[in-house]
Amino acid sequence: MTQSPPLSEPTRAVRKVHKPSLGDRLAEQIPRLVVSPTMLIAVVFIYGFMIWTVVLSFSTSRILPRYEFIGWQNYQRLFGNERWMVALTNLGIYGVLFVVICLAIGLLLAILLDQKIRAEGFLRTVYLYPMALSFIVTGTVWKWLLNPSVGIQRFGRELGFENFRFDWLVSSDMSIYTVVIAAVWQSSGFVMALFLAGLRGVDDSIIKAAQIDGASRITVYTRIIIPSLRPVFFSAIIMLAHIAIKSFDLALALTGGGPGYSSDLPAIFMYQFSFTRGQMGVGAASAVIMLMGVMAILIPYLYSELRVKKDDR
Amino acid sequence: MTVKHSNRRYSEITGRAVLYAILIIVAIYYLIPLVIMISTSFRDMNDIRFGHLIDLPSSFSFEAWRMAWSEVQIGARRQLGLRPYFINSLLITIPAVTISVILGAVNGYVLSFWRFKGSNIFFALLLFGCFLPFQAILLPQATVLGKIGLSGTIPGLVLTHVVYGVAFTTLFYRNYYVSLPGELVKAAQLDGAGFWRIFWRIILPLSTPITVVAVIWQFTQIWNDFLFGVAFSSPQSQPVTVGLNNMVNSSTGEVRYNVDMAGAIIAALPTLAVYVIAGKYFVRGLTAGSVKG
Amino acid sequence: MANLYIDNVHKSFGETHILKGIDMDIADGEFIILVGPSGCGKSTLMNCIAGLEQVTTGRVIIDDEDVTQSMPKDRDIAMVFQSYALYPNMNVWKNIAFGLEIRKLPKEEIEETVGRVADLLQIRDLLKRKPSQLSGGQRQRVAMGRALARDPKIFLFDEPLSNLDAKLRVEMRTEIKKLHQRLGTTIVYVTHDQIEAMTLANRIAVMKEGHIQQFGTPQEVYDNPANQFVAGFMGSPSMNFIRCQVVDHQGDATIAMSVDGKDFHLPIPQQEKGVRERVGQEVVLGIRPEQITDVVPQQEQASTLANVDAEIIVTEPTGADTLTLIRMNDQEVNCRVHPARAGAPGDTMTFMINMDKAVFFDLASGDRI
Ligand SMILES: Nc1ncnc2c1ncn2[C@@H]1O[C@H](COP(=O)(O)OP(=O)(O)OP(=O)(O)O)[C@@H](O)[C@H]1O
Ligand SMILES: [Mg+2]
């Protein structure tokens, strides 16, 4: 490497070394200081409390927390409890139906809306507005609509179908399905919005190329567009599953978990055992199981998301 | 040739017709509960009892609305109607939204432009907060609120909503800010501006769209919350969702559906209004909060 | 006004090392051009000088003061960013005035400075507009304006003219040169434009993969490249590299060459002693296109000249010259020929090779011999 002499001989003698002043050093800490409250929140209120709940689930706590540990007894009690098993089964039925139906309706509506529909903006607004409502409001409305003596069943009979029956709300076997109906009504528009955004993101030229290759419109959808929506399916499933596991207010407002405990869900079970029945230990154990459920869905998702992001770089 | 052509046109037209028919029927399905809710709230009980579910109301009155708002006895509460609950909801929602959005904005600003060692890990940890099933923190939070004397109070609920909302607002702002060029902050640094001045003068003026999203999201979430409202409140601090649920479930004697429906609309009105006014941002928040989560 | 001494600066982002020991000794008032392939770390080096990125190890010394630990605002540096980084919420006037306002200059002085800079950069009509209402070239000039409004110790320009049209670019280039002559401020300037580099620089630093390959005056870098990379990087069209053998021919070390099946020998200039000692070895001959021309009679006698007949493969007229592609030692070679004397593809034509400025590189390492 050659280095020709600069115009004037540089002086390498350093006159002064700038040490960061106190003010500078403080200024450097500002970013950390600014996020520290949130950091505290994350550490204490999210992770600390999660661990705390786990601790409670191994304790003898009833109305008040007590820190005598009894191993897995709360979990044994939990899984020995028929009501909890019903709640879990219900969550299975409700979760699967809710996710599948929402996906189906959401995708169908998105595809239909993507056909250059005239009043698209208006229709989209209509499909999505339930998402702005509280689950309590949704529950209240559907509770009334599904009530056999005043709602849809009566309406059907008044129309002349004397034997029309739609009494799922008060039937132990069917009540969980009413929760599905109301939940789908509330959330499917949201899935539609997700899919619609995904459809709009599909490269137009691919579709045109396929059409030039002679693919019919249905083929274009089933073979090209829908497969390219995989990531949307993925995040929609995550969101919906997450909503399902947390579901509490809707079932409470709609069926109150009843008749009996036939439409109970883990979230209701957890709340009632912890807060109204003074069985904090068992309640905590059920919360831990719910947390595990969310993690089981979330961790693979986050893992794949983070891996994709790393690949991007 | 011409026959074939017109056949094709014909099938295309029927196709469009079927398409529109499906879309409109579905739209009706989504709308019916709202329509029934509104029409019922204006009917009187006789009309409801003897009329049809879907029918032109034979009566029209604001009676049910008045009842729901300020007259119906809810539980054992001294004050009547949903009004006190509604006010509680406002008192909870406004400060909680304000604080969590401000926190989210500065967090996002730091996590995008002032990264430090460990800031990415911090963000990843915080992200999980968006998916946290609140049941997993319900018991400790109740204990802590009790310990610090905020149990059953409005400040306690505000604190809770801030704590569990800040993950979302941070996520919103961070994802928005990382799409801004980092050189903006560098240029401002060379211009001599410091941390806060850059935030105020450069970054915040660019944040209007995401602030609308974050405010709407937080407002909807907190207004519609039921779990925290029922778990951490006393009768004096219950939000309107709890009030509505109590009203619907506790009314003794005859169930007054018109009052229930009026109450439901009252509880839903603020978020519905936001949705109608700023639907675009509402949808953006939903998708941003989920797809990028 | 300040000198700038970059002492063994390393910079890594996590695991990736971007700058791998940069040493530069820049005198007060020098105009330094930084060139190098995309991604070699030029912008990173600029950021390190400005303090926008902390160096991993090493020192940055400005005006004989070690500022490695200083905040960007205390280094008194103005910079034009490659991506402009205009504040989108402020109009052009505000963009230029922002730094002055923060430094609490009096209002009249700000007014005056912004006006002066706007005239210099021909953006007076744009002062009321927002950056989003400007074209790429206009934005770039505003970015320049924001830097020029200040009176810093050092200017850092990261490709400041890359988006301008050809005419404006020449104009701005001249303005920058005049400005530098008037102010005498030290400037470090990144560009991909060869002409900008040659015309503006006091010295050019050629970078590759986080190392400075050569740091010298434009003429030095052009005539006397330190290695094959620098030789190939500077100059457009770039230098021809021909693999060939040093052989003994009638008692003198020469280069063996074959063109279209005919063998002949090229003289090695006397000063290239290293090459003369490598008889029997393969080397890389570096020769610029302008050293292979049509025959110019009055120069024909010089000892470093050789004439060859070669078949023309392709011609590319550039206006002033015609670039002509031939094959030597089965490798493509660009020649620069007077347009009037250039043949057509397929023709055979006599070329005159001037070996006076030929350079030689080691086959394996690419270093100058
Ligand atoms: N903040 C960062 N984190 C990680 N890597 C970075 C960062 N900034 C730059 N790099 C990497 O450092 C390398 C050098 O980048 P730099 O911007 O300095 O290149 P450059 O020489 O200016 O290129 P160009 O001519 O394209 O502007 C690139 O490979 C880039 O990906
Ligand atoms: Mg660069």
Side-chain angles (χ1 to χ4, degrees):
Chain A
M1 288 175 219
T2 56
Q3 192 166 59
S4 69
L7 297 187
S8 66
E9 198 55 41
T11 39
R12 292 202 182 170
V14 173
R15 269 195 284 130
K16 195 169 133 199
V17 176
H18 281 264
K19 287 270 172 248
S21 69
L22 190 65
D24 284 355
R25 249 179 277 161
L26 274 179
E28 226 166 88
Q29 294 307 316
I30 289 182
R32 268 173 243 247
L33 281 176
V34 164
V35 294
S36 56
T38 312
M39 234 186 258
L40 194 76
I41 286 174
V43 170
V44 174
F45 287 84
I46 298 177
Y47 294 93
F49 284 8
M50 264 160 44
I51 295 168
W52 191 344
T53 303
V54 174
V55 170
L56 284 175
S57 74
F58 291 105
S59 75
T60 55
S61 309
R62 285 184 159 263
I63 293 177
L64 290 173
R66 251 196 296 162
Y67 298 98
E68 292 163 24
F69 296 102
I70 49 168
W72 296 95
Q73 277 186 33
N74 284 327
Y75 290 89
Q76 283 163 0
R77 226 176 288 162
L78 182 67
F79 282 92
N81 186 320
E82 199 200 320
R83 184 169 164 190
W84 170 253
M85 298 317 284
V86 170
L88 273 189
T89 317
N90 279 342
L91 178 61
I93 297 171
Y94 163 69
V96 169
L97 285 178
F98 172 65
V99 172
V100 170
I101 298 175
C102 274
L103 283 179
I105 294 183
L107 180 61
L108 182 73
L109 286 182
I111 290 176
L112 293 183
L113 268 187
D114 199 30
Q115 308 301 317
K116 306 201 170 54
I117 294 299
R118 218 162 261 221
E120 189 204 308
F122 171 75
L123 288 171
R124 232 178 21 206
T125 310
V126 168
Y127 297 159
L128 200 57
Y129 86 88
M131 201 65 195
L133 302 180
S134 160
F135 273 117
I136 295 293
V137 172
T138 304
T140 306
V141 176
W142 281 95
K143 180 182 187 163
W144 188 58
L145 287 176
L146 295 172
N147 183 331
S149 57
V150 287
I152 295 169
Q153 172 172 316
R154 179 172 140 203
F155 183 63
R157 291 193 179 169
E158 280 164 357
L159 285 181
F161 305 97
E162 289 298 332
N163 296 317
F164 179 70
R165 272 179 68 120
F166 192 56
D167 55 359
W168 292 3
L169 191 68
V170 293
S171 139
S172 307
D173 292 335
M174 302 306 279
S175 57
I176 187 65
Y177 297 99
T178 62
V179 183
V180 176
I181 292 175
V184 166
W185 178 79
Q186 168 134 6
S187 302
S188 50
F190 163 54
V191 183
M192 179 275 304
L194 285 182
F195 277 122
L196 198 58
L199 285 175
R200 297 280 145 90
V202 175
D203 190 355
D204 251 0
S205 56
I206 301 176
I207 300 168
K208 290 209 181 92
Q211 277 169 343
I212 289 168
D213 286 345
S216 74
R217 189 175 281 193
I218 290 171
T219 322
V220 170
Y221 269 102
T222 52
R223 302 286 293 277
I224 297 173
I225 300 182
I226 293 176
S228 77
L229 292 179
R230 258 174 68 123
V232 185
F233 272 97
F234 213 43
S235 41
I237 290 173
I238 298 293
M239 291 306 293
L240 293 171
H242 181 235
I243 293 176
I245 294 179
K246 288 205 302 190
S247 278
F248 169 66
D249 16 16
L250 180 62
L252 206 63
L254 187 62
T255 63
Y261 48 79
S262 62
S263 62
D264 212 3
L265 286 171
I268 300 177
F269 180 97
M270 184 271 157
Y271 178 77
Q272 292 194 336
F273 271 66
S274 305
F275 289 89
T276 57
R277 290 196 171 195
Q279 298 262 10
M280 199 182 276
V282 178
S286 68
V288 172
I289 300 293
M290 291 175 66
L291 181 62
M292 296 295 159
V294 171
M295 298 253 230
I297 295 169
L298 208 57
I299 284 173
Y301 173 68
L302 285 183
Y303 180 76
S304 68
E305 277 278 292
L306 291 178
R307 211 187 44 197
V308 167
K309 266 172 204 151
K310 240 178 212 156
D311 290 348
D312 282 350
R313 242 176 248 155
Chain B
M1 216 40 223
T2 38
V3 175
K4 208 170 175 189
H5 186 235
S6 74
N7 250 344
R8 181 124 163 245
R9 274 200 61 96
Y10 180 75
S11 75
E12 196 146 291
I13 289 172
T14 36
R16 294 297 279 180
V18 170
L19 181 66
Y20 276 97
I22 295 175
L23 287 171
I24 289 168
I25 289 169
V26 176
I28 291 172
Y29 164 72
Y30 280 105
L31 276 176
I32 272 187
L34 184 69
V35 171
I36 294 179
M37 190 157 73
I38 294 171
S39 76
T40 307
S41 73
F42 289 114
R43 297 160 80 176
D44 63 34
M45 268 320 284
N46 267 333
D47 185 6
I48 295 169
R49 225 170 287 133
F50 301 111
H52 293 297
L53 177 66
I54 306 167
D55 200 357
L56 286 179
S58 64
S59 57
F60 181 88
S61 78
F62 285 101
E63 179 63 17
W65 284 74
R66 222 194 43 201
M67 292 275 291
W69 179 244
S70 57
E71 282 179 18
V72 73
Q73 174 77 40
I74 301 174
R77 210 186 151 112
R78 183 92 63 56
Q79 287 156 301
L80 300 176
L82 280 176
R83 183 171 54 191
Y85 296 94
F86 194 91
I87 292 169
N88 282 346
S89 271
L90 285 178
L91 292 179
I92 294 163
T93 307
I94 292 168
V97 170
T98 312
I99 298 170
S100 61
V101 167
I102 291 174
L103 272 180
V106 290
N107 287 340
Y109 173 57
V110 168
L111 292 175
S112 314
F113 299 117
W114 301 87
R115 303 212 183 126
F116 49 87
K117 226 174 163 192
S119 61
N120 280 337
I121 297 173
F122 164 60
F123 181 58
L125 285 178
L126 194 61
L127 254 186
F128 181 74
C130 298
F131 291 99
L132 179 73
F134 292 135
Q135 282 78 16
I137 48 82
L138 223 45
L139 287 167
Q141 177 75 355
T143 315
V144 166
L145 286 179
K147 285 253 161 63
I148 57 179
L150 291 180
S151 183
T153 66
I154 285 179
L157 280 167
V158 171
L159 175 75
T160 309
H161 282 299
V162 168
V163 162
Y164 298 106
V166 76
F168 281 99
T169 54
T170 303
L171 172 74
F172 285 144
Y173 278 98
R174 199 211 77 129
N175 283 353
Y176 180 75
Y177 286 155
V178 288
S179 69
L180 296 179
E183 265 90 24
L184 281 182
V185 170
K186 291 182 174 175
Q189 274 178 284
L190 287 180
D191 272 341
F195 181 89
W196 289 113
R197 201 200 298 250
I198 296 173
F199 184 61
W200 281 115
R201 294 283 306 273
I202 314 283
I203 301 300
L204 208 55
L206 300 175
S207 310
T208 319
I210 198 64
T211 302
V212 176
V213 168
V215 166
I216 290 180
W217 171 271
Q218 280 299 89
F219 179 80
T220 317
Q221 290 299 307
I222 298 174
W223 186 274
N224 287 344
D225 162 74
F226 180 73
L227 181 61
F228 291 153
V230 75
F232 301 141
S233 63
S234 63
Q236 300 320 308
S237 59
Q238 280 164 343
V240 72
T241 45
V242 178
L244 174 66
N245 193 52
N246 289 354
M247 180 177 104
V248 172
N249 289 323
S250 74
S251 33
T252 41
E254 187 201 33
V255 186
R256 282 169 298 191
Y257 293 107
N258 53 353
V259 179
D260 287 359
M261 291 304 122
I265 298 173
I266 289 171
L269 218 46
T271 49
L272 266 184
V274 165
Y275 173 69
V276 170
I277 294 165
K280 192 178 79 182
Y281 293 96
F282 179 86
V283 177
R284 212 184 284 172
L286 282 177
T287 42
S290 58
V291 179
K292 291 198 180 149
Chain C
M1 301 276 275
N3 54 26
L4 168 63
Y5 176 34
I6 299 161
D7 180 16
N8 195 20
V9 161
H10 288 257
K11 174 71 192 172
S12 328
F13 292 107
E15 295 292 291
T16 32
H17 298 272
I18 305 299
L19 301 180
K20 301 164 185 163
I22 302 287
D23 277 304
M24 287 174 100
D25 202 342
I26 298 166
D28 187 4
E30 262 197 300
F31 198 131
I32 300 298
I33 295 273
L34 200 53
V35 295
S38 195
C40 70
K42 302 181 298 291
S43 300
T44 307
L45 179 58
M46 300 286 252
N47 279 328
C48 287
I49 297 172
L52 297 168
E53 299 281 1
Q54 276 277 288
V55 303
T56 310
T57 61
R59 293 187 301 165
V60 177
I61 292 157
I62 297 174
D63 205 7
D64 300 332
E65 295 179 17
D66 186 336
V67 294
T68 317
Q69 306 285 324
S70 306
M71 308 280 274
K73 68 174 163 46
D74 300 325
R75 297 192 186 194
D76 200 9
I77 283 176
M79 179 161 173
V80 177
F81 290 86
Q82 192 171 3
S83 57
Y84 323 139
L86 300 180
Y87 310 129
N89 54 315
M90 301 181 190
N91 66 21
V92 170
W93 194 95
K94 278 262 174 201
N95 259 283
I96 298 175
F98 184 66
L100 308 175
E101 278 172 13
I102 288 177
R103 292 191 153 79
K104 301 209 169 58
L105 264 64
K107 244 206 160 91
E108 311 80 64
E109 203 179 323
I110 295 178
E111 285 282 356
E112 198 231 283
T113 312
V114 176
R116 175 174 56 75
V117 169
D119 286 339
L120 181 73
L121 296 166
Q122 307 171 18
I123 50 175
R124 205 172 243 298
D125 303 340
L126 310 177
L127 287 176
K128 292 260 136 32
R129 295 210 205 153
K130 290 274 180 74
S132 58
Q133 300 163 318
L134 300 177
S135 74
Q138 291 170 331
R139 281 180 213 179
Q140 205 153 31
R141 277 179 285 158
V142 176
M144 283 286 283
R146 199 167 55 184
L148 296 183
R150 302 245 321 270
D151 181 22
K153 284 184 180 161
I154 295 175
F155 280 119
L156 302 177
F157 291 146
D158 199 344
E159 303 188 28
L161 306 182
S162 58
N163 256 325
L164 304 187
D165 64 57
K167 178 167 168 291
L168 200 55
R169 185 187 293 210
V170 175
E171 275 176 46
M172 287 298 139
R173 196 169 76 205
T174 316
E175 288 298 337
I176 292 176
K177 186 141 197 172
K178 281 199 271 184
L179 191 87
H180 179 244
Q181 277 161 3
R182 197 174 71 235
L183 301 176
T185 312
T186 312
I187 296 179
V188 183
Y189 187 113
V190 175
T191 181
H192 286 288
D193 182 320
Q194 300 274 340
I195 304 174
E196 243 169 77
M198 299 302 282
T199 53
L200 290 174
N202 291 129
R203 285 192 292 160
I204 296 179
V206 185
M207 259 180 98
K208 182 193 170 195
E209 289 166 9
H211 290 288
I212 302 251
Q213 302 288 316
Q214 186 168 10
F215 188 27
T217 64
Q219 210 58 49
E220 263 173 6
V221 171
Y222 192 77
D223 289 342
N224 232 337
N227 54 36
Q228 201 174 334
F229 171 77
V230 175
F233 192 77
M234 294 304 295
S236 169
S238 62
M239 186 183 265
N240 297 302
F241 296 114
I242 311 164
R243 238 175 109 151
C244 54
Q245 189 143 32
V246 183
V247 295
D248 188 275
H249 179 63
Q250 299 168 350
D252 196 10
T254 59
I255 298 293
M257 195 62 77
S258 109
V259 175
D260 302 340
K262 275 175 288 179
D263 292 338
F264 63 99
H265 295 271
L266 290 175
I268 298 175
Q270 289 303 324
Q271 68 267 23
E272 296 289 339
K273 296 216 173 55
V275 185
R276 298 178 150 273
E277 285 160 14
R278 294 207 182 189
V279 173
Q281 294 181 22
E282 274 202 302
V283 296
V284 175
L285 162 66
I287 187 157
R288 293 201 182 273
E290 62 262 31
Q291 256 109 43
I292 311 176
T293 60
D294 44 303
V295 178
V296 185
Q298 53 270 47
Q299 293 180 357
E300 221 171 339
Q301 301 317 316
S303 67
T304 51
L305 291 184
N307 286 0
V308 285
D309 289 336
E311 188 194 330
I312 298 171
I313 304 167
V314 179
T315 59
E316 290 176 24
T318 64
D321 307 292
T322 296
L323 292 176
T324 308
L325 198 66
I326 60 172
R327 295 181 79 80
M328 296 173 76
N329 270 6
D330 276 336
Q331 293 154 66
E332 291 186 342
V333 174
N334 249 320
C335 317
R336 193 166 236 170
V337 176
H338 191 278
R341 325 245 336 238
D347 293 355
T348 298
M349 171 180 166
T350 308
F351 291 88
M352 185 174 83
I353 303 176
N354 184 350
M355 291 293 285
D356 188 30
K357 292 195 164 165
V359 288
F360 298 90
F361 304 99
D362 186 82
L363 190 60
S365 70
D367 286 342
R368 263 301 275 287
I369 297 172

